[in-house]
Amino acid sequence: MAKESKKSAGQKLAEKLFFSLKNCWDEIDAKTEKEVEELASSYKQFLDRGKTERECVIAARELLEKNGFADIQTLEGKKLKAGMKVYQNIRGKSLIAAIVGKKPAVEGCNILGAHVDSPRLDLKQNPLYEDCDFALLDTHYYGGIKKYQWTVIPLAMHGVFAAEDGKITTINIGEEPGDPVFTITDLLPHLAKEQMQKKAAEAVEGEDLDILAGSRPFADKEAKEKVKLNILSLLHKKYGITEKDFACAEIEFVPAFKASDVGLDRSMIGAYGHDDRCCAWPALKALVSLSREKDAPEKTVICYLSDKEETGSAGNTGARSSNFENFTAMLVGASEAELRLCFSRSAMLSADVNAAFDPTYAGVFDKKNSSFMGKGLVLTKYTGSGGKYGASDANAEFCARVQGIMSRNKIQWQFGALGKVDKGGGGTIALYAANLGIDVLDCGVPVLSMHSPFEVISKIDLYTTYRGYIAFLKEA
Ligand code: MN
Ligand code: MN
């Protein structure tokens, strides 16, 4: 047996005073290992089903209803009692769910707020055109993307057409085995001499993100634009739509590939849409987990899945709308003044991702303030850009409260600045909650290659975040 090395006074003091992080995989036992895999597996299914905000809301509703949550609007006139489980579907694109606590809601709620929209390519209002016997679909990108990343990958078509008579036609092409997929072409290197000299932001321009949708003419000698006609004819046969119907549609092109384990050790998940479904899913699962407990939670607990975060949370399904206030008003069920009081006493984790430190691009990170994959959930005190512009910047007291919850429950957390000062920036829905007077802190999973078609997270961070969310809902 090796002789136990004696620690020096300085070593002991360093252990006490320094902030140090373990790799969470080092601490794992067999039971946890199983739970990590189970959560990862349910999450991958959620990702494959939910590639748009609408599909995520459908999947969330299904899970909630299976667990006894009822549409709050069907309960009109009924008094909410402790333990009741309710949700509101907001235009099919955002959702808020809650479990009524033992204490009245006016005493404050514990909230998890994530978003279910992700960067993608939306079709324009009049997208279809023909050029040199190709049918192409014109897009407008949604959210912050590196445009060149969206060419030469298989894309799937998701979305809805709304008809004047109120009928909704759902589209999902490119996901089932045997489905056709779509793609955006790029220039061969042999002819890309000029393109390769351009800045990355200009190498592929937004207006050139046009989707290859067909190349076969309609069989008719006299007709014009026969390739376009053929595509419209196929769409009309299958869905009954005509060209003008694109103007009342929401069609999103997203990567056609499925979520997969990454690495020989299968420690990571690669997929489209981790931002922010890797926080939305554990947040929703945390709420459902509480709903299965015998006793109602002390405080009312809420899970908010918002839309439009990637474009600044504007619009009537975004976090800047009054949807969250309206829902909470139904929970409080009292005067406007009491609703405001409820907000001022509420606590929220803005459940959103942060950039994981990437050794390949170490130069843009401040290593001692970055989050690392495999090292637990990230607490991000502030986001914004430049001089903390647009950041809600959580106060020290609330940071301490959240850290305390994590420490008591042995949930490893880490610091998370987005990158070096002046290297860029970003935001979350935290500031819109802060506007209501809610105490709010960003808390989520570190992500590699954020906003790309294939983002990567660690399974252990997903699990740690899930546990952290449960602890917060119970104890904040
Ligand atoms: Mn996000
Ligand atoms: Mn984002």
Side-chain angles (χ1 to χ4, degrees):
M1 229 171 95
K3 220 171 123 192
E4 204 175 286
S5 63
K6 246 191 145 182
K7 284 178 187 153
S8 71
Q11 281 173 318
K12 279 188 207 155
L13 189 62
E15 255 174 39
K16 187 177 160 193
L17 299 185
F18 286 174
F19 179 80
S20 64
L21 288 169
K22 295 168 302 222
N23 188 312
C24 296
W25 290 108
D26 287 339
E27 302 284 298
I28 199 167
D29 56 24
K31 182 179 163 266
T32 313
E33 180 107 41
K34 204 174 147 236
E35 289 173 6
V36 169
E37 268 311 314
E38 274 167 9
L39 183 66
S41 158
S42 72
Y43 174 53
K44 283 182 281 181
Q45 282 172 31
F46 175 67
L47 284 173
D48 291 342
R49 264 198 76 185
K51 289 198 178 180
T52 67
E53 59 281 21
R54 285 180 191 266
E55 291 168 354
C56 286
V57 166
I58 290 170
R61 258 184 85 180
E62 241 179 66
L63 179 71
L64 290 169
E65 286 187 351
K66 228 186 257 170
N67 284 278
F69 285 75
D71 186 336
I72 196 164
Q73 270 141 346
T74 65
L75 300 175
E76 223 174 309
K78 277 193 201 151
K79 209 170 147 34
L80 293 176
K81 288 192 302 247
M84 277 175 92
K85 300 178 264 187
V86 293
Y87 75 87
Q88 187 182 10
N89 169 8
I90 296 154
R91 296 184 171 83
K93 296 167 72 171
S94 168
L95 182 140
I96 316 174
I99 308 169
V100 180
K102 288 180 194 154
K103 292 180 184 166
V106 66
E107 290 190 29
C109 303
N110 293 343
I111 308 155
L112 298 170
H115 65 93
V116 287
D117 62 316
S118 294
R120 59 180 192 244
L121 304 174
D122 286 343
L123 281 194
K124 288 190 184 180
Q125 280 200 293
N126 187 20
L128 182 60
Y129 71 98
E130 176 172 335
D131 195 352
C132 298
D133 289 1
F134 288 121
L136 294 148
L137 288 162
D138 211 349
T139 66
H140 196 137
Y141 61 94
Y142 172 98
I145 62 166
K146 288 162 96 171
K147 282 161 268 186
Y148 63 83
Q149 291 180 334
W150 292 74
T151 64
V152 293
I153 56 168
L155 296 167
M157 179 177 180
H158 291 237
V160 295
F161 284 95
E164 288 171 13
D165 64 5
K167 194 174 145 248
I168 301 291
T169 304
T170 305
I171 308 274
N172 185 322
I173 305 168
E175 298 293 347
E176 293 303 316
D179 269 9
V181 295
F182 304 84
T183 196
I184 296 168
T185 57
D186 195 3
L187 200 51
L188 63 168
H190 319 62
L191 294 177
K193 212 174 147 192
E194 256 175 52
Q195 184 195 33
M196 298 297 273
Q197 300 308 314
K198 289 184 184 171
K199 288 188 207 156
E202 290 153 15
V204 174
E205 292 190 29
E207 204 52 76
D208 295 335
L209 291 173
D210 291 2
I211 284 156
L212 198 55
S215 68
R216 185 173 167 171
F218 187 82
D220 183 296
K221 286 214 173 68
E222 311 303 320
K224 295 243 159 63
E225 295 186 283
K226 284 187 281 196
V227 179
K228 170 176 166 178
L229 181 62
N230 195 35
I231 294 296
L232 278 176
S233 154
L234 290 167
L235 286 171
H236 188 256
K237 255 190 226 154
K238 182 134 192 220
Y239 304 108
I241 56 168
T242 66
E243 191 170 24
K244 79 165 182 8
D245 294 321
F246 280 105
C248 45
E250 282 174 350
I251 306 295
E252 308 175 12
F253 280 81
V254 296
F257 33 74
K258 307 263 185 251
S260 323
D261 286 351
V262 170
L264 286 170
D265 57 9
R266 295 181 173 268
S267 58
M268 300 167 279
I269 302 170
Y272 163 68
H274 280 319
D275 178 8
D276 183 31
R277 290 154 196 162
C278 68
C279 297
W281 184 243
L284 191 65
K285 290 279 275 185
L287 186 80
V288 166
S289 151
L290 258 68
S291 81
R292 286 174 181 164
E293 292 191 358
K294 209 174 105 249
D295 286 333
E298 285 305 307
K299 288 187 188 171
T300 293
V301 293
I302 304 177
C303 173
Y304 180 20
L305 304 180
S306 76
D307 179 29
K308 298 268 190 280
E309 193 277 341
E310 296 296 357
T311 51
S313 296
N316 65 5
T317 52
R320 284 155 89 167
S321 72
S322 54
N323 291 319
F324 187 75
E325 288 166 79
N326 298 347
F327 179 82
T328 315
M330 287 190 268
L331 296 180
V332 174
S335 68
E336 171 82 16
E338 277 176 292
L339 174 65
R340 300 291 143 196
L341 201 55
C342 162
F343 287 139
S344 73
R345 292 164 167 171
S346 290
M348 172 167 160
L349 291 181
S350 163
D352 210 339
V353 299
N354 203 325
F357 182 85
D358 185 341
T360 307
Y361 299 99
V364 300
F365 295 94
D366 167 13
K367 212 169 176 181
K368 64 189 182 306
N369 281 287
S370 292
S371 59
F372 291 81
M373 260 173 67
K375 297 205 169 168
L377 60 83
V378 195
L379 298 180
T380 304
K381 186 175 185 295
Y382 55 86
T383 58
S385 62
K388 297 193 177 181
Y389 194 81
S392 84
D393 206 346
N395 61 50
E397 293 86 342
F398 189 61
C399 291
R401 204 165 126 201
V402 175
Q403 277 179 34
I405 294 168
M406 299 309 160
S407 301
R408 279 200 299 283
N409 289 280
K410 299 198 167 46
I411 293 157
Q412 181 162 287
W413 63 272
Q414 47 179 334
F415 299 108
L418 186 58
K420 274 185 179 160
V421 175
D422 290 339
K423 283 285 178 202
T428 64
I429 64 167
L431 70 157
Y432 309 113
N435 284 346
L436 298 172
I438 298 171
D439 266 322
V440 57
L441 179 61
D442 280 298
C443 171
V445 176
V447 179
L448 286 176
S449 310
M450 197 196 291
H451 282 205
S452 79
F454 196 71
E455 305 173 311
V456 177
I457 64 159
S458 163
K459 289 180 182 174
I460 196 84
D461 295 333
L462 181 74
Y463 178 74
T464 308
T465 301
Y466 167 64
R467 285 190 53 229
Y469 288 170
I470 290 180
F472 179 85
L473 287 181
K474 284 186 174 173
E475 294 182 22

